[in-house]
Amino acid sequence: MSQKGKYTIGLGIEDPPHLQPGSRVEIKPRGFGYRGAWFSAIIIKRDTPIYSNHFVVKFTDLYLDKNTGARPLKKMSIVFIRPQPSPQPPRKFKIGDNADAYHMNGWWEGVIVVELQDDNYVFLFHSEYQWPKCLVFGVSQLRLHRTWFGGYWMPPELESELDVEEVQREEDPTKITMEMEELSEGALVEVANDEDGFNRAWFAAIIVKPVGNNRYMIQYETVQTEDDTGLGKEMDILQIRPCPPDIPVPDQFEMLDQVEALYKGGWWKGVIINVHSDDSKYQVYLATHEEMEFKHSDLRLHQDWVHGKWTKPSPVI
């Protein structure tokens, strides 16, 4: 051992700090079922001969011997070993963020495809061996994805990540004022099926009349009563939006497109997770945590009505 605490491999060459005995690292095993995930381990020593590019390691959460209760030592190539990233503070993720999710004792690579309530997210795994392809994770189970290349992290780690910070909360939706003109009687609109936006769907409706305090009496177009007349309901302006403009998709939707699917008379938010070979049907993961198949004609691109303007979400990839 050198005075600097580095493990000397001879000929004046020393291993980098993260490959010193006792260092905590992350390793991507090549075995079936583990591909696409990084698992925590500890460096024991460089394998012999001294110029070998393999290291003896001990996983901390993998390969437990049920008979002895110990974790056996493993030999791993240097190309599958990287430093353990610095702990990241909780953060808000956006749809399309490349992230890692802690699942089955390892960090799996993937992408955020749907933002849910209470800092929960629908995560799409990159690994073709992981099923189901999408799962819901809380913000404490996620971290921003980084790649270790040439001795550096990409994107670089930030100094602020050394200190734990609170998650930035979105503005309380009850404080957002909807920048819409006065809704006139007979106006065709869409109304939400709930008040907080969780698993939200939008239903076609007609404004019957204003009732004061930014509330309106509406009549559903697609939700009927027993006598086949539209169901009426009083709703807050925060639950009402204009009908979104049509964005033609003449050919086909693509994987990870954010869409709204026509289901039970309403448009439900989701993401396309599989395009069938004939391009006429799609597998959609809905914000309700359901996975369903839809025809092209029953889908439209998702749009958000924000401060009086229509916005399209950023592409996932």
Side-chain angles (χ1 to χ4, degrees):
M1 185 77 68
S2 69
Q3 292 181 352
K4 295 181 180 180
K6 294 183 178 179
Y7 182 71
T8 303
I9 64 173
L11 303 178
I13 302 175
E14 293 184 335
D15 286 326
H18 75 278
L19 294 177
Q20 303 304 313
S23 296
R24 292 188 173 272
V25 293
E26 288 186 346
I27 298 176
K28 181 181 284 189
R30 306 304 293 168
F32 179 79
Y34 301 123
R35 298 175 188 174
W38 291 90
F39 294 86
S40 176
I42 297 174
I43 297 292
I44 303 301
K45 63 177 182 179
R46 180 183 280 269
D47 191 23
T48 54
I50 199 143
Y51 52 81
S52 170
N53 66 349
H54 284 70
F55 284 78
V56 178
V57 304
K58 182 169 71 172
F59 286 85
T60 59
D61 302 303
L62 204 60
Y63 301 120
L64 178 66
D65 190 319
K66 295 181 179 179
N67 295 324
T68 64
R71 299 189 186 276
L73 301 182
K74 298 281 186 177
K75 293 182 182 180
M76 300 296 301
S77 170
I78 192 173
V79 299
F80 303 125
I81 304 174
R82 71 181 189 183
Q84 192 172 65
S86 301
Q88 296 181 10
R91 57 174 293 146
K92 292 294 293 185
F93 289 91
K94 304 186 301 297
I95 294 174
D97 278 348
N98 290 316
D100 299 334
Y102 192 75
H103 176 62
M104 297 178 62
N105 298 322
W107 289 98
W108 295 76
E109 300 174 8
V111 63
I112 302 296
V113 292
V114 178
E115 183 177 355
L116 303 175
Q117 192 184 41
D118 297 330
D119 295 324
N120 291 313
Y121 301 87
V122 177
F123 179 85
L124 176 67
F125 291 88
H126 284 333
S127 174
E128 59 182 307
Y129 302 99
Q130 169 60 33
W131 189 260
K133 291 294 292 182
C134 289
L135 287 175
V136 176
F137 292 97
V139 68
S140 62
Q141 300 168 290
L142 297 167
R143 70 184 185 188
L144 184 68
H145 175 71
R146 286 192 170 91
T147 300
W148 178 255
F149 182 78
Y152 298 93
W153 287 108
M154 298 186 302
E157 292 181 316
L158 303 176
E159 292 183 4
S160 61
E161 292 178 355
L162 301 179
D163 300 319
V164 176
E165 301 173 355
E166 292 185 359
V167 176
Q168 294 181 355
R169 303 291 178 178
E170 291 185 348
E171 185 178 3
D172 186 343
T174 61
K175 296 180 181 179
I176 300 175
T177 57
M178 196 176 203
E179 299 178 11
M180 293 178 62
E181 297 180 357
E182 185 72 14
L183 296 172
S184 59
E185 295 183 12
L188 184 61
V189 295
E190 290 188 344
V191 296
N193 66 324
D194 61 11
E195 295 183 357
D196 56 16
F198 186 55
N199 296 341
R200 174 169 285 187
W202 293 94
F203 292 80
I206 294 176
I207 296 294
V208 177
K209 63 178 180 180
V211 294
N213 296 322
N214 285 327
R215 298 185 68 83
Y216 293 80
M217 178 63 69
I218 63 95
Q219 182 173 322
Y220 286 98
E221 288 276 273
T222 56
V223 180
Q224 304 293 323
T225 60
E226 292 183 356
D227 60 359
D228 291 331
T229 59
L231 180 67
K233 187 177 181 180
E234 183 181 311
M235 305 196 77
D236 189 275
I237 194 172
L238 293 176
Q239 297 171 261
I240 305 173
R241 71 180 190 182
C243 294
D246 181 43
I247 302 179
V249 183
D251 297 323
Q252 68 177 73
F253 293 94
E254 298 179 356
M255 277 283 291
L256 305 184
D257 271 350
Q258 297 172 56
V259 296
E260 292 174 358
L262 185 59
Y263 176 58
K264 294 183 177 180
W267 292 96
W268 298 78
K269 184 169 62 176
V271 61
I272 291 178
I273 60 174
N274 189 27
V275 179
H276 292 276
S277 58
D278 61 1
D279 298 334
S280 62
K281 293 185 179 180
Y282 306 86
Q283 207 72 17
V284 179
Y285 191 91
L286 300 174
T288 57
H289 305 177
E290 298 174 276
E291 185 178 317
M292 300 182 63
E293 185 180 275
F294 291 94
K295 298 183 297 183
H296 188 282
S297 58
D298 291 333
L299 296 175
R300 69 185 186 188
L301 289 175
H302 172 69
Q303 300 175 76
D304 290 307
W305 177 252
V306 181
H307 300 305
K309 295 181 180 180
W310 286 107
T311 62
K312 293 186 294 184
S314 301
V316 172
I317 295 181

